[in-house]
């Protein structure tokens, strides 16, 4: 029983527990994956056949890692465990039982694109407005219904759903849902949601089938139980009804997927379904410092809907959590880049030791730009690089074609975006005409009636007029004014605004963030020109860098907090800690929503192993205007004993005395090497460092006075090695370092 060695008492108890229902409440960093895998290994070692065990996870990756770990402990028997995601396991069962519910075993599984394509076809056949009945919107509505086990018949007969759809001016969604399902069945196809929906129908309507699988699966284990929805919960409850050997592992404090249908009540009310439940709490955190663990505890204690637990750690105290105020989102990005650069030099860290987490994808833009300028490699997880996102490329393509009518690739992207009735066949005719007659493409477009006929001619003429209008605007207006006009008049903004899904909202926010970037460019006095061509040049240079980096390269990780769940990093930056951003303005309607946001912040905090930096800006570009921002309420909810007020830059220094952290008590230093906070000179003003040389005396806001030892080139920048009187030797990137040269 080597797999028992090294486990703490609660972990050992969870592994050795055999029969009856058990709930393992696993705090962040408490080793739950190890417990889950060792528990399965223990069951098999006690004589339970592997094929009698079902283990459900939320990702194929998690399932693969668990299986590999179990194989190392017990050998090839692990291959017989029914282990995988909910969808993969129940798709397997449906293959065997398909005939019971009107399918055959060779049914297709529709992906999202297949589903959207079918919805578009139905909308067209019903002669509905595809701008109102957008495929994405309709599919999300159908998906939400299926996850609540609402069939199209129930949907059509429920006056509440009908009234809801009428309120959003989409009264035909029920009919689309009906036709969609009928077509799918006729095509012998299931979509992703059907895999769970149909499993529930199978077990509900066919007791002998349910009985067969109840006998087969004597032990059920479910990971990330706090993220299950109603459909998933009912399946496992039915399966476990015979033997009651159900083990659920989760942490209510990390339930953050309500927008996907996850129901935190599944874990909160689990005891009601299983009165003989054994509950084991894994409360020892192996990941983070005491400071981070205690800070996270002080935050999550504010939630009312939660299970009792007291997470603790025997790890070192570690650094205080630094709270950094910046004047703007741009300055916030510079702070992050400078901080990473300094930490790498000071603590001998690599890029992969750092992660930057944010609430929305749009926030990555200012971080990306600063990291790029500092020549710090990074990767975007769970999303594309800002300028590679579809909606960003769409607007950029419009801007490119406005200033360059020969840009054929841009034209192909935008000529039917938003949809204006110009199909691929028509576009090919236009291109062929230009090629065959050796005419500029723009000439063909502006004189389209001379060259081709058909219904699309009017639409093409309208498109050409639109581009001419944009071109005229670009000759008179700055980049921001032009881009705002293009975004509005093209219909792109309207299209995204009307898509009220999570994805649609995210895309709309991203386009607004692009406009913010353009406004920032225009307002920057260092730029010699503020026209559209100049901005596009800057963007093209920023995005044309060699992206084909070796996968083995060390890179800073950028991702949303939702995407970071389950991961850990030595140093974590959580940016955009501002009211209406985090917590999101959309999540303030109820206590339930606010508590979900607080859990999301808890998840973010607990990703950090050694150091955590929380950052907020006092102003941020929003909708092309500078918005004054207030620090997030969540920052006030953390016990101030675990916080240290920092500063973003020289410009932010004046604001540090007005910290929102009330009555900030004297703090212990970060560590022995960092007890060097410096009070800047009264007349501190950063000097021009272009002529900085070895031997000069300089002053740094944080490190104090020092002597320049060496100045050397660093890619397209320069860095200086400076011996500070108290802080020791530091290497600083001069484009970021704020240094005052003392004569």
């Amino acid at each position: 029983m080597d797999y028992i060695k090294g486990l703490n008492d609660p972990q050992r108890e969870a592994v050795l527990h055999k029969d009856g229902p058990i709930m393992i409440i696993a705090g962040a960093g408490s080793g739950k994956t190890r417990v889950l895998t060792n528990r399965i290994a223990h069951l098999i070692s006690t004589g339970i056949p592997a094929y009698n065990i079902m283990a459900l996870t939320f990702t194929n990756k998690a399932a693969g890692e668990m299986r590999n770990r179990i194989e190392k402990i017990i050998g090839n028997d692990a291959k017989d465990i029914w282990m995988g995601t909910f969808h993969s396991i129940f798709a397997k069962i449906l293959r065997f039982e398909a005939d019971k519910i009107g399918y055959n075993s060779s049914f297709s599984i529709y992906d999202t694109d297949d589903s959207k394509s079918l919805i578009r076809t139905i909308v067209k056949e019903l002669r509905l407005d595809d701008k109102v009945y957008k495929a994405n919107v309709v599919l999300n509505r159908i998906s939400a219904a299926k996850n609540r086990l609402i069939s199209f018949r129930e949907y059509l007969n429920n006056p509440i759903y009908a009234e809801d759809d009428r309120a959003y001016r989409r009264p035909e969604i029920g009919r689309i849902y009906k036709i969609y399902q009928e077509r799918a069945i006729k095509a012998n196809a299931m979509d992703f949601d059907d895999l769970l929906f149909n499993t529930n129908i199978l077990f509900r309507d066919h007791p002998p089938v349910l009985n067969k699988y109840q006998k087969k699966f004597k032990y059920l284990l479910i990971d990330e139980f706090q993220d299950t929805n109603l459909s998933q919960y009912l399946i496992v409850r039915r399966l476990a009804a015979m033997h009651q050997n159900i083990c659920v592992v989760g942490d209510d404090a990390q339930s953050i997927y309500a927008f996907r249908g996850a129901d935190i009540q599944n874990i909160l009310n689990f005891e009601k379904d299983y009165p003989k439940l054994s509950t084991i709490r894994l409360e020892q955190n192996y990941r983070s410092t005491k400071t981070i663990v205690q800070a996270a505890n002080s935050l999550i204690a504010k939630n009312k809907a939660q299970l009792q637990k007291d997470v603790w750690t025997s790890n070192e105290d570690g650094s205080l959590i630094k709270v950094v105020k910046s004047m703007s989102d741009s300055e916030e990005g510079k702070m992050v880049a400078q901080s990473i650069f300094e930490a790498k030099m000071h603590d001998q860290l690599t890029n992969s030791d750092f992660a930057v987490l944010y609430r929305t994808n749009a926030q990555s833009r200012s971080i990306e730009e600063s990291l790029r300028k500092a020549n710090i490699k990074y990767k975007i997880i769970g999303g594309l690089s800002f300028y590679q996102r579809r909606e960003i490329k769409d607007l950029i393509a419009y801007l490119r074609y406005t200033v360059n009518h020969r840009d054929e690739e841009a034209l192909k992207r935008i000529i039917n975006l938003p949809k204006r009735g110009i199909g691929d066949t028509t576009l090919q005719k236009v291109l062929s005409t230009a090629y065959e007659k050796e005419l500029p493409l723009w000439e063909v477009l502006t004189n389209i009636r001379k060259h081709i006929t058909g219904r699309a001619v009017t639409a093409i003429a309208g498109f050409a007029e639109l581009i001419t209008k944009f071109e005229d605007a670009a000759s008179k207006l700055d980049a921001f004014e032009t881009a705002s006009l293009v975004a509005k008049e093209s219909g792109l903004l309207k299209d995204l605004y009307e898509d009220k899904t999570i994805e649609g909202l995210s895309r709309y926010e991203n386009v607004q963030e692009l406009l913010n970037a353009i406004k920032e460019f225009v307002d920057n006095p260092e730029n010699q020109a503020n026209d559209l061509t100049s901005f596009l040049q800057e963007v093209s240079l920023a995005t044309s860098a060699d992206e084909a980096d070796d996968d083995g390269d060390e890179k800073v990780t950028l991702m949303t907090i939702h995407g970071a769940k389950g991961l850990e990093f030595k140093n974590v930056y959580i940016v955009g800690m501002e009211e209406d951003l985090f917590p999101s303005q959309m999540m303030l309607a109820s206590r339930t929503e606010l508590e979900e946001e607080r859990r999301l912040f808890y998840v973010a905090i607990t990703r950090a192993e050694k150091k955590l930096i929380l950052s907020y800006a006092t102003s941020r570009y929003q909708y092309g205007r500078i918005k004054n921002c207030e620090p997030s309420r969540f920052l006030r909810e953390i016990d101030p004993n675990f916080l240290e007020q920092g500063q973003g830059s020289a410009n932010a220094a004046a604001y540090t005395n007005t910290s929102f952290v009330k009555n900030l008590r004297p703090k212990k230093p970060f560590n022995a090497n960092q007890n060097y906070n410096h009070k800047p000179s009264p007349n501190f003003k950063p000097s021009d460092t272009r002529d900085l040389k070895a031997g000069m005396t300089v002053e740094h806001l944080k490190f104090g006075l020092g002597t320049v030892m060496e100045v050397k080139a660093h890619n397209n920048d320069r860095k200086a090695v400076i011996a500070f009187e108290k802080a020791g030797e530091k290497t600083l990137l001069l484009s970021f370092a704020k240094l005052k040269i003392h004569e």
Side-chain angles (χ1 to χ4, degrees):
M1 295 181 52
D2 288 344
Y3 53 84
I4 302 298
K5 290 180 181 176
L7 299 179
N8 62 38
D9 289 344
Q11 288 176 331
R12 189 177 297 108
E13 186 184 352
V15 168
L16 296 179
H17 178 281
K18 189 176 178 184
D19 295 332
I22 176 174
M23 179 165 64
I24 302 169
I25 302 169
S30 62
K32 73 173 176 68
T33 304
R34 185 182 182 190
V35 167
L36 204 52
T37 54
N38 288 14
R39 177 175 166 81
I40 295 171
H42 177 67
L43 288 173
I44 295 171
S45 70
T46 58
I48 306 297
Y51 55 77
N52 287 150
I53 299 171
M54 177 188 285
L56 297 168
T57 64
F58 270 77
T59 65
N60 290 311
K61 184 182 176 185
E65 288 176 355
M66 282 174 60
R67 191 184 297 277
N68 289 336
R69 290 194 195 186
I70 297 167
E71 279 183 17
K72 287 177 182 176
I73 300 172
I74 62 163
N76 287 334
D77 283 353
K79 292 185 175 9
D80 295 328
I81 305 166
W82 280 56
M83 180 180 288
T85 64
F86 277 86
H87 294 91
S88 66
I89 292 292
F90 296 115
K92 188 175 176 180
I93 289 175
L94 288 171
R95 293 281 179 205
F96 293 128
E97 313 295 343
D99 60 308
K100 310 288 193 307
I101 53 172
Y103 290 81
N104 67 51
S105 60
S106 62
F107 63 82
S108 301
I109 298 174
Y110 279 172
D111 64 15
T112 303
D113 287 341
D114 295 324
S115 296
K116 287 180 182 178
S117 178
L118 176 54
I119 288 169
R120 289 190 195 99
T121 301
I122 296 167
V123 167
K124 190 175 181 180
E125 289 174 0
L126 295 176
R127 297 184 178 179
L128 300 171
D129 188 343
D130 60 3
K131 293 185 177 64
V132 176
Y133 292 91
K134 293 179 180 178
N136 198 38
V137 175
V138 176
L139 182 59
N140 274 277
R141 186 74 170 161
I142 293 171
S143 176
K146 287 181 180 179
N147 284 327
R148 296 196 302 274
L149 300 178
I150 300 162
S151 69
F152 70 79
R153 294 179 184 86
E154 291 169 295
Y155 194 101
L156 283 167
N157 292 326
N158 191 314
I160 296 172
Y161 303 139
E163 182 59 36
D164 204 27
D165 287 339
R166 277 197 296 272
Y168 283 96
R169 300 180 181 178
R170 300 188 189 99
E172 299 294 340
I173 282 185
R175 188 153 62 122
I176 298 171
Y177 183 9
K178 176 178 181 290
I179 298 169
Y180 174 86
Q181 282 305 112
E182 290 172 343
R183 293 277 180 86
I185 293 169
K186 191 176 179 181
N188 193 37
M190 298 186 200
D191 65 21
F192 220 51
D193 297 308
D194 283 331
L195 297 174
L196 301 180
F197 184 90
N198 287 335
T199 301
N200 270 297
I201 290 175
L202 177 70
F203 289 164
R204 183 194 71 191
D205 297 348
H206 301 274
V209 175
L210 173 60
N211 185 259
K212 178 172 76 175
Y213 289 103
Q214 285 176 334
K215 286 179 178 176
K216 178 176 177 58
F217 299 117
K218 295 176 180 176
Y219 292 85
L220 271 74
L221 301 96
I222 301 99
D223 192 16
E224 304 286 2
F225 188 66
Q226 76 278 352
D227 293 330
T228 53
N229 59 31
L230 175 65
S231 181
Q232 291 164 327
Y233 182 54
L234 288 180
I235 291 171
V236 295
R237 196 171 75 177
R238 283 190 170 112
L239 279 175
M242 181 178 289
H243 299 287
Q244 300 277 302
N245 294 327
I246 181 170
C247 170
V248 300
V249 183
D251 180 7
D252 58 293
Q254 297 186 66
S255 177
I256 58 174
Y257 290 115
F259 66 91
R260 291 183 188 169
D263 189 351
I264 192 174
Q265 295 305 318
N266 290 350
I267 192 168
L268 295 179
N269 297 331
F270 192 67
E271 193 171 2
K272 294 179 182 176
D273 291 328
Y274 298 93
K276 296 180 180 179
L277 180 71
S278 297
T279 300
I280 296 172
R281 291 174 170 81
L282 306 183
E283 297 174 317
Q284 184 174 358
N285 179 296
Y286 291 93
R287 176 186 300 154
S288 308
T289 63
K290 281 181 183 172
T291 296
I292 292 170
V293 168
Q294 291 170 351
N297 287 347
S298 71
L299 171 85
I300 204 64
K302 306 296 189 295
N303 273 11
K304 292 184 179 178
Q306 61 175 309
L307 298 169
Q308 184 57 44
K309 61 181 169 298
D310 183 21
V311 180
W312 62 278
T313 185
S314 60
N315 292 342
E316 64 181 352
D317 289 350
S319 308
L320 294 175
I321 297 167
K322 185 170 280 190
V323 180
V324 182
K325 173 189 279 186
S326 297
M327 293 279 291
S328 66
D329 47 347
S330 174
E331 189 179 89
E332 182 180 57
K334 291 176 183 175
M335 178 278 297
V336 170
Q338 171 72 8
S339 175
I340 290 173
F341 181 84
E342 289 181 1
K344 282 171 63 180
M345 296 298 134
H346 185 269
D347 301 326
Q348 287 75 55
L349 300 174
T350 64
N351 286 336
S352 60
D353 291 322
F354 299 88
V356 185
L357 309 181
Y358 33 77
R359 180 64 178 85
T360 65
N361 274 310
Q363 290 169 257
S364 77
R365 193 261 312 166
S366 60
I367 308 297
E368 284 186 70
E369 288 183 358
S370 294
L371 292 176
R372 196 183 303 114
K373 287 175 181 174
N375 292 300
I376 297 172
K377 291 182 177 179
Y378 65 88
K379 58 184 177 183
I380 305 280
I381 305 294
L384 295 167
S385 173
F386 185 82
Y387 289 107
Q388 293 302 309
R389 291 171 188 154
R390 189 185 78 195
E391 60 277 11
I392 301 301
K393 293 184 79 165
D394 290 343
L395 182 50
I396 291 285
Y398 261 105
L399 302 181
R400 280 167 47 191
Y401 199 67
T402 295
V403 299
N404 179 13
H405 299 329
R406 296 170 65 179
D407 192 334
E408 188 175 311
E409 291 304 312
L411 174 71
K412 288 179 186 175
R413 190 174 188 99
I414 65 172
I415 193 165
N416 198 39
L417 187 76
K419 289 184 179 177
R420 47 175 66 90
I422 306 170
D424 290 342
T425 306
T426 305
L427 176 59
Q428 201 52 53
K429 281 184 187 175
V430 172
L431 294 171
S432 299
T433 301
Y435 298 153
E436 290 167 8
K437 296 184 179 182
E438 297 184 344
L439 292 170
L441 198 52
W442 181 242
E443 188 174 320
V444 175
L445 290 173
T446 49
N447 298 283
I448 193 65
R449 290 183 174 86
K450 290 183 182 177
H451 300 288
I452 66 169
T453 57
R455 288 181 296 176
V457 165
T458 303
I460 293 173
F463 171 77
E465 288 172 11
L466 193 65
I467 298 298
T468 302
K469 180 180 179 181
F470 296 164
E471 183 185 16
D472 183 56
S475 67
K476 301 172 185 174
L477 306 173
D478 65 34
F480 173 71
E481 292 166 334
T482 306
S484 298
L485 176 74
V486 172
K488 184 180 177 182
E489 298 290 329
S490 66
L492 286 181
L493 264 185
K494 182 173 180 286
D495 212 37
L496 292 171
Y497 183 77
E498 289 176 351
D499 183 353
K500 300 299 184 183
T501 64
I502 296 288
E503 295 85 352
L505 180 66
S506 178
R507 287 197 289 271
Y508 179 78
E509 288 174 346
N510 286 339
V511 170
Q512 292 293 349
E513 185 62 14
L514 175 61
L515 294 175
N516 293 342
I518 301 174
K519 179 65 171 172
E520 207 168 312
F521 172 84
V522 168
D523 289 349
N524 188 346
E526 293 181 10
N527 293 326
Q528 294 180 340
N530 62 9
D531 60 289
L532 191 57
T533 304
S534 301
F535 175 76
L536 288 170
Q537 179 177 301
E538 181 161 293
V539 170
S540 66
L541 291 172
T543 57
S544 63
D546 185 14
E547 296 286 335
D549 290 324
D550 185 2
D551 289 339
D553 281 359
E554 300 281 352
K555 295 177 181 177
V556 175
T557 300
L558 273 59
M559 62 197 317
T560 64
I561 301 166
H562 281 102
K565 190 159 176 284
L567 303 177
E568 55 190 45
F569 304 89
K570 283 184 181 175
N571 292 22
V572 171
Y573 297 80
I574 307 172
V575 299
M577 292 300 307
E578 299 138 33
E579 280 294 298
D580 297 339
L581 185 56
F582 195 20
S584 167
Q585 190 173 18
M586 298 179 65
M587 299 292 283
L588 300 176
S590 67
R591 179 176 66 82
T592 303
E593 290 178 342
L594 182 60
E595 290 200 353
E596 170 122 346
E597 285 288 280
R598 191 176 286 114
R599 290 195 295 271
L600 187 60
F601 186 33
Y602 176 84
V603 167
I605 291 172
T606 54
R607 298 313 93 196
E609 296 175 9
K610 299 294 185 184
K611 290 185 181 177
L612 177 63
I613 294 90
L614 309 176
S615 161
Y616 68 101
T618 57
S619 67
R620 191 175 290 274
Y621 273 98
Q622 193 173 53
Y623 308 117
R625 296 183 178 179
I626 293 178
K627 177 193 174 187
N628 292 325
C629 306
E630 293 292 326
S632 169
R633 69 187 71 188
F634 292 156
L635 294 173
R636 298 185 188 91
E637 292 179 355
I638 298 173
D639 186 332
N641 281 307
F642 307 119
L643 302 178
E644 175 184 352
Q645 184 72 10
Q647 52 196 43
S649 74
N651 293 333
Y655 292 80
T656 56
N657 291 331
T658 60
S659 167
F660 71 92
V661 182
K662 305 298 183 187
N663 302 317
L664 202 61
R665 301 168 197 172
K667 302 297 187 294
K668 54 192 174 183
F670 260 61
N671 58 45
N673 295 322
Q674 287 187 309
N675 194 12
Y676 43 68
N677 285 337
H678 169 70
K679 188 176 181 181
S681 308
N683 61 343
F684 186 96
K685 185 180 178 184
S687 304
D688 186 339
T689 55
R690 283 179 291 186
D691 296 324
L692 191 71
K693 296 174 184 169
M696 286 183 170
T697 300
V698 295
E699 182 182 5
H700 186 274
L701 276 168
K702 178 180 178 183
F703 303 136
L705 293 172
T707 303
V708 179
M709 306 304 291
E710 186 183 6
V711 178
K712 49 191 176 183
H714 178 75
N715 295 325
N716 297 320
D717 205 341
R718 293 188 308 148
K719 59 185 180 182
V721 180
I722 304 170
F724 291 100
E725 293 174 0
K726 294 182 180 179
E729 192 172 286
K730 304 285 181 186
T731 304
L732 304 179
L733 199 62
L734 291 179
S735 61
F736 286 95
K738 308 293 185 186
L739 298 172
K740 175 179 170 64
I741 299 172
H742 287 260
E743 303 296 337

